[in-house]
């Protein structure tokens, strides 16, 4: 029979705890990043339902549990049962056993078959499955193969329970058992006992801290080599999450020693061994020794080699005349008079395999890109346009008149046999084009860039466009800046602000900001406004009034479609989380006719403006009768309908209609207000920026510049002039440890195809 198992959550017990036995009816919310679940629970012998919150992975629908916990009263969500511990019960009643089997926990048994099995064996059903499974043939419709499937699945459940109990015995939450079993199967216990640190790198959600707890419970010493090695790997993971590709050797030693609480010399010895064994990579930049995780080193060195190869060997364009004549001819056709730098850019595009175009707002980048596309088409070349995000691709399409796609779509996302995400296009199956143009290059991280380069034919020409003063990518690397600073690639920087653009205070003030000058905040007849507010509550109220009443009344702007609040941070009264809640209460308050569903941070209801917060390549959408897949980080949409009865939410992402299950809502946030980082690659008709107080590290010049340049027609700063001045003075760019610049400078141009595998 199934054993009873108790899973302790991370919450401490409280004095008024009580026990409730019942059945899981529905999973309301589960967090993939950390064990946390909200589920609907029906107590036995009671005709009622409760909402339970537990720091565990989601239980199975139909599973019988005994919950230990206490009642809480949420001001918005009402009464909830906070779980401090739970016990998985082996159902003893015929009804409970049927419900358990019907939940899908055992492969090969669905609701209909569960009913027939329990009708035959009653309370002895689980004993039959466990001890005499051949008797299942007595049930109509169950053959030999089905019995084998049921038996194997039920046995795996037993193994899963063994893993759970092993973890609990070693004072580790049993909620990780499913992930461990999925990875290692029958070898799970052996891996736990003999290779605990392996879990940190191989099992999602089990990082170094949990693996270290397991190791300590097994008596592994603090200075054991396997522990030190795992700690170094963990430190490198953390630096990659902070945007670095590598880290100076001394800094790595210190970070790992602090993490492991051992002497730095102990770390140094193991680090030396790892480098000698080529388990880590190293790059020397001047007197500095930079340590890499191998995958990021491969990405940077391959990117550098491929760039230099394309720079030298990309197919030359067979031109009937010289580039300057072709550019002059295009000027006549387009009816445009180009500035000298614009002409230089178009001439260079016709001559070099790799080209970088940079410049601030109002300097004519869009005109140059249009010219590039036209000139290349006139030479009979196939041109593809790409951008790192869906909104950036949409904007590029609108500005150029040519279709642009996300880089992920250009490379075509797919999955390998192990379920790992990969791209269809690579060295063996390159993208079919003569020229690739990528916009918003500042947003492209090292891994995505290397994947893009691998997918380009050796004859392909690469054009990259971006603002060098924009925020760097969220992922590791500083690609655009490194390429420009290397001096090895052809770069044209547009710096002339055109007369038409000079009429916009948004553009002129943006250039002042990036140059460290004070913007003009006093004009009342422009498109750039400053509203002094010295307290956060007052600033929040003003922002809300601007969105809900003042801008719609004065300019006809739609609060959903035209106005966007950009916050430097997520936290605080003026952070995106609290501003979203405040704006929702005003712009889309609860009404009887509006359906809604409660998430962890937000309540989502019909008509809400929402943003996808992570790439999801599997979401199916429909647009104009056609189907597609994939909704990506930063995509903004509107909730069409919350279908509570069906457990789904229908969302319109600018014409792409997607249906989300309630469990997928953790991928969404309200988007009345978003962070500046999330706004990269997008433009909005009117932008409001609340600036007052906050974490100084986040308040720097480039962030303000990026926020200001997101506005097309109107920019309003609400807050303190002192804070504006602080941001302009704070020109400490986010330091990123990379070596792409150095690699480009030191490699021999075109020494190979950049396609080989490195021996590390």
């Amino acid at each position: 029979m199934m054993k009873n198992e108790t899973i302790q959550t991370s919450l401490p017990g409280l004095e008024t705890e009580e026990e409730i036995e019942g059945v899981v009816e529905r999973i309301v919310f589960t967090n993939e990043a950390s064990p946390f679940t909200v589920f609907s629970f029906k107590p036995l012998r009671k005709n009622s339902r409760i909402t339970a919150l537990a720091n565990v992975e989601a239980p199975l629908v139909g599973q019988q549990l005994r919950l230990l916990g206490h009642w809480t009263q949420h001001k918005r969500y009402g009464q909830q049962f906070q779980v401090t511990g739970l016990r998985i019960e082996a159902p003893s009643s015929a009804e409970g056993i049927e419900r358990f089997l019907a939940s899908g926990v055992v492969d090969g048994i669905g609701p209909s078959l569960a009913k027939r099995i329990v009708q035959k064996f009653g309370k002895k059903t689980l004993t039959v499955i466990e001890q005499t499974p051949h008797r299942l043939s007595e049930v109509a419709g169950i053959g030999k193969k089905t019995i084998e499937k049921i038996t194997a699945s039920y046995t795996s459940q037993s193994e899963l329970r063994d893993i759970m109990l092993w973890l609990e015995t070693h004072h580790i939450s049993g909620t990780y058992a499913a992930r461990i079993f999925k990875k290692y199967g029958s070898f799970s216990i052996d891996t736990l006992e003999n290779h605990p640190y392996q879990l940190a790198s191989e099992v999602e959600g089990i990082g170094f801290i949990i693996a270290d707890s397991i190791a300590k419970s097994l008596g592994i010493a603090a200075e054991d080599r396997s522990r030190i090695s795992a700690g170094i790997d963990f430190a490198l993971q953390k630096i990659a999450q902070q945007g670095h590709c590598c880290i100076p050797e001394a800094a790595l030693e210190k970070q790992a020693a602090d993490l492991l609480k051992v002497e730095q010399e102990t770390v140094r010895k193991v680090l030396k061994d790892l480098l000698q064994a080529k388990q880590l990579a190293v790059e020397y930049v001047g007197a500095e020794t930079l340590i890499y995780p191998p995958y990021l080193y491969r990405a940077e060195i391959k990117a550098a080699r491929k760039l230099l190869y394309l720079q030298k060997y990309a197919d030359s364009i067979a031109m009937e005349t010289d580039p300057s004549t072709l550019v002059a001819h295009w000027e006549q056709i387009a009816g445009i008079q180009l500035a000298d730098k614009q002409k230089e850019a178009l001439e260079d595009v016709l001559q070099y395999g790799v080209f970088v175009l940079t410049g601030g707002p109002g300097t004519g980048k869009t005109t140059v890109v249009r010219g590039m596309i036209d000139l290349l088409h006139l030479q009979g070349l196939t041109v593809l346009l790409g951008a790192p995000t869906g909104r950036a691709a949409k904007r590029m399409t609108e500005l150029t008149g040519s279709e642009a796609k996300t880089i992920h779509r250009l490379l075509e996302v797919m999955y390998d046999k192990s379920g790992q995400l990969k791209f269809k296009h690579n060295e063996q199956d390159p993208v079919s084009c003569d020229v690739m143009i990528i916009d918003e290059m500042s947003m492209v991280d090292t891994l995505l860039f290397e994947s893009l380069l691998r997918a380009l034919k050796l004859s392909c020409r690469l054009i990259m466009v971006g603002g060098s003063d924009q925020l760097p990518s969220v992922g590791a690397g500083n690609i655009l800046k490194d390429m420009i600073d290397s001096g090895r690639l052809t770069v044209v920087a547009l710096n002339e602000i055109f007369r038409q653009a000079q009429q916009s205070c948004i553009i002129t003030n943006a250039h002042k900001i990036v140059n460290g000058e004070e913007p003009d905040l006093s004009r009342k007849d422009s498109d750039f406004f400053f509203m002094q507010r010295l307290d956060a509550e007052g600033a929040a109220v003003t922002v809300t009034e601007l969105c809900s009443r003042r801008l719609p009344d004065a300019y006809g702007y739609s609060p959903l479609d035209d106005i966007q609040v950009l916050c430097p941070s997520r936290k605080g009264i003026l952070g995106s989380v609290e501003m979203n809640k405040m704006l929702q209460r005003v712009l889309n308050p609860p009404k009887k006719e509006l359906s809604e569903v409660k998430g962890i941070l937000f309540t989502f209801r019909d008509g809400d403006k929402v943003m996808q917060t992570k790439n999801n390549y599997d979401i199916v959408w429909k647009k104009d009768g056609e189907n597609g897949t994939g909704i990506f980080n930063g995509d903004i949409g509107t909730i069409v309908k919350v279908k509570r009865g069906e457990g789904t939410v229908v969302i319109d992402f600018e014409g792409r209609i997607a249906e989300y299950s309630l469990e997928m809502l953790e991928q969404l946030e309200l988007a009345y207000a978003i962070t500046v980082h999330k706004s990269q690659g997008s433009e909005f008709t009117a932008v409001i920026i609340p600036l007052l107080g906050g974490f100084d590290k986040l308040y720097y010049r480039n962030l303000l510049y990026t926020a200001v340049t997101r506005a097309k027609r109107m920019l309003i700063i609400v807050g303190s002039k002192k804070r504006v001045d602080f941001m302009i003075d704070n020109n400490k760019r986010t330091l990123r440890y990379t070596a792409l610049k150095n690699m480009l400078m030191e490699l021999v141009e075109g020494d190979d195809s950049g396609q080989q595998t490195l021996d590390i």
Side-chain angles (χ1 to χ4, degrees), residues 643-676:
K643 299 180 178 178
R644 289 186 60 87
E646 300 175 23
T648 61
V649 178
V650 180
I651 305 172
D652 181 351
F653 291 97
E654 298 180 327
R656 294 171 297 157
I657 309 299
E659 195 158 333
Y660 283 56
S661 67
L662 297 183
E663 289 77 15
M664 293 162 62
L665 293 182
E666 59 92 19
Q667 301 178 23
L668 293 175
E669 289 187 355
L670 292 177
Y672 301 102
I674 63 176
T675 63
V676 178

Side-chain angles (χ1 to χ4, degrees), residues 399-440:
L399 292 175
T400 64
S402 300
E403 184 186 12
K405 297 180 179 179
T406 64
I407 296 173
H408 289 82
R409 289 208 178 280
L410 289 171
L411 302 184
E412 296 187 47
V413 174
M414 57 184 296
Y415 296 90
D416 60 22
K417 292 180 180 178
S418 65
Q420 294 296 308
L421 183 147
K422 67 175 198 177
F423 293 116
K424 176 188 174 185
H425 293 296
N426 50 33
E427 302 93 334
Q428 287 73 44
D429 183 13
V431 176
S432 181
C433 68
D434 301 313
V435 185
M436 179 73 74
I437 302 178
I438 302 296
D439 196 14
E440 296 290 350

Side-chain angles (χ1 to χ4, degrees), residues 475-673:
N478 205 354
I479 297 294
L480 182 61
K481 187 175 185 301
D482 282 350
M483 289 192 299
I484 294 170
D485 292 350
S486 74
R488 293 296 303 276
L489 305 175
T490 305
V491 179
V492 172
L494 304 177
N495 49 28
E496 180 184 344
I497 306 175
F498 288 96
R499 187 177 300 171
Q500 185 178 351
Q502 289 176 0
Q503 298 172 7
S504 167
C505 282
I506 294 174
I507 291 174
T508 56
N509 279 337
H511 284 273
K512 285 182 178 181
I513 289 168
V514 83
N515 291 326
E517 301 170 14
E518 185 177 330
D520 184 357
L521 303 179
S522 60
R523 286 185 60 178
K524 305 296 183 184
D525 61 342
S526 69
D527 53 6
F528 190 112
F529 300 93
F530 173 74
M531 303 178 72
Q532 178 92 343
R533 298 292 185 275
L534 299 179
D535 66 285
E537 290 81 4
V541 170
T542 298
V543 170
T544 304
E545 288 177 347
L546 287 167
C547 292
S548 63
R549 181 175 56 83
R550 296 172 66 171
L551 292 185
D553 290 351
Y555 300 93
Y557 291 159
S558 164
L560 291 184
D561 301 329
D562 298 323
I563 304 170
Q564 185 61 61
V565 178
L566 299 184
C567 306
S569 165
R570 287 175 55 83
K571 299 179 179 178
I573 295 174
L574 297 177
S576 60
V577 174
E578 291 304 318
M579 281 304 315
N580 265 313
K581 293 176 181 178
M582 192 169 184
L583 287 164
Q584 185 194 43
R585 287 197 293 270
V586 175
L587 298 174
N588 194 30
K591 297 177 183 176
K592 287 183 179 180
E593 64 270 23
L594 297 180
S595 300
E596 64 179 45
V597 61
K598 295 173 182 176
I600 300 304
L601 279 178
F602 304 110
T603 295
F604 299 101
R605 64 177 62 97
D606 299 348
D608 271 335
K609 184 178 181 179
V610 294
M611 171 181 278
Q612 177 76 11
T613 60
K614 61 175 68 175
N615 290 336
N616 188 322
Y617 303 95
D618 298 322
I619 296 177
V620 177
W621 50 261
K622 295 180 179 179
K623 183 178 182 180
D624 301 328
E626 296 183 5
N627 291 346
T629 58
I631 300 293
F632 303 107
N633 188 2
D635 285 352
I636 293 177
T638 304
I639 294 178
V640 178
K641 186 65 182 175
V642 175
K643 299 180 178 178
R644 289 186 60 87
E646 300 175 23
T648 61
V649 178
V650 180
I651 305 172
D652 181 351
F653 291 97
E654 298 180 327
R656 294 171 297 157
I657 309 299
E659 195 158 333
Y660 283 56
S661 67
L662 297 183
E663 289 77 15
M664 293 162 62
L665 293 182
E666 59 92 19
Q667 301 178 23
L668 293 175
E669 289 187 355
L670 292 177
Y672 301 102

Side-chain angles (χ1 to χ4, degrees), residues 91-102:
S92 54
S93 68
E95 182 186 2
I97 293 170
E98 182 183 334
R99 194 163 41 233
F100 170 73
L101 294 176

Side-chain angles (χ1 to χ4, degrees), residues 159-448:
E159 291 177 327
L160 186 61
R161 292 194 296 275
D162 290 342
I163 299 168
M164 196 178 285
L165 289 171
W166 190 97
L167 290 169
E168 294 293 344
T169 304
H170 292 80
H171 310 292
I172 307 295
S173 173
T175 59
Y176 297 104
R179 297 182 188 183
I180 295 169
F181 183 71
K182 184 178 179 181
K183 177 67 180 178
Y184 303 112
S186 300
F187 297 97
S188 295
I189 300 293
D190 178 71
T191 304
L192 284 165
E193 291 180 341
N194 298 304
H195 311 285
Y197 289 107
Q198 212 171 298
L199 276 69
S201 58
E202 295 182 351
V203 181
E204 185 181 356
I206 300 182
F208 174 79
I209 304 300
I210 295 170
D212 198 39
S213 298
I214 295 171
K216 286 179 181 177
S217 74
L218 295 169
I220 293 176
E223 297 191 356
D224 187 273
R225 189 187 182 281
S226 66
R227 180 173 185 265
I228 305 300
S229 177
I232 291 170
D233 283 343
F234 182 60
L236 287 170
Q237 288 175 31
K238 288 179 69 176
I239 69 106
Q241 291 167 0
Q242 294 163 1
H244 307 288
C245 290
C246 50
I247 186 173
E249 185 175 31
L252 176 60
E253 289 173 0
K254 186 178 185 310
Q255 286 191 26
D258 291 345
L259 168 73
L260 296 164
K261 293 180 172 55
V262 298
E263 294 296 323
Q264 203 165 319
E265 180 61 31
T266 305
V267 174
R268 188 175 294 122
K269 290 177 181 177
V270 176
L271 180 58
K272 184 179 178 181
D273 292 343
L274 293 172
L275 290 170
Q276 286 180 343
K278 294 187 177 180
Q279 290 179 267
L280 298 177
V282 63
E283 180 76 9
Y284 302 99
V285 178
E288 207 160 43
T289 301
L290 298 174
I291 310 298
Y292 277 83
Y295 71 98
L296 284 172
Y297 181 77
R298 291 192 192 98
E300 282 209 321
I301 194 71
K302 284 186 174 184
R305 286 173 170 161
K306 186 69 174 280
L307 281 169
L308 293 174
Y309 186 93
L310 295 176
Q311 172 91 331
K312 188 171 183 178
Y313 294 115
D315 282 354
S316 59
I317 300 175
M319 293 177 285
E320 296 181 357
T321 183
D322 63 276
S324 61
T325 303
L326 290 173
V327 172
H329 179 60
W330 180 79
E331 283 184 281
Q332 289 181 335
I333 295 173
I336 294 173
Q337 179 62 51
L338 297 173
D340 290 344
K341 279 286 186 182
Q342 291 178 306
K343 291 178 184 178
E344 180 188 343
L346 291 179
E347 290 170 14
D348 285 350
V349 158
L350 296 170
Q351 299 176 80
Y352 297 100
V354 177
F355 176 77
V356 179
L357 177 70
T358 185
T363 57
K365 287 200 304 292
T366 300
T367 299
V368 173
V369 174
R370 288 195 195 113
M372 290 175 182
I373 298 168
D374 288 348
L375 283 168
L376 293 166
H377 281 160
L378 287 169
Q379 307 311 308
L381 301 178
T382 304
V383 182
L384 289 181
L385 277 61
T389 67
R391 291 187 69 83
K394 182 174 182 287
R395 179 168 166 253
M396 192 182 189
T397 300
E398 292 168 349
L399 292 175
T400 64
S402 300
E403 184 186 12
K405 297 180 179 179
T406 64
I407 296 173
H408 289 82
R409 289 208 178 280
L410 289 171
L411 302 184
E412 296 187 47
V413 174
M414 57 184 296
Y415 296 90
D416 60 22
K417 292 180 180 178
S418 65
Q420 294 296 308
L421 183 147
K422 67 175 198 177
F423 293 116
K424 176 188 174 185
H425 293 296
N426 50 33
E427 302 93 334
Q428 287 73 44
D429 183 13
V431 176
S432 181
C433 68
D434 301 313
V435 185
M436 179 73 74
I437 302 178
I438 302 296
D439 196 14
E440 296 290 350
M441 269 302 300
S442 63
M443 299 176 65
V444 179
D445 63 45
T446 299
L447 294 179
L448 182 59

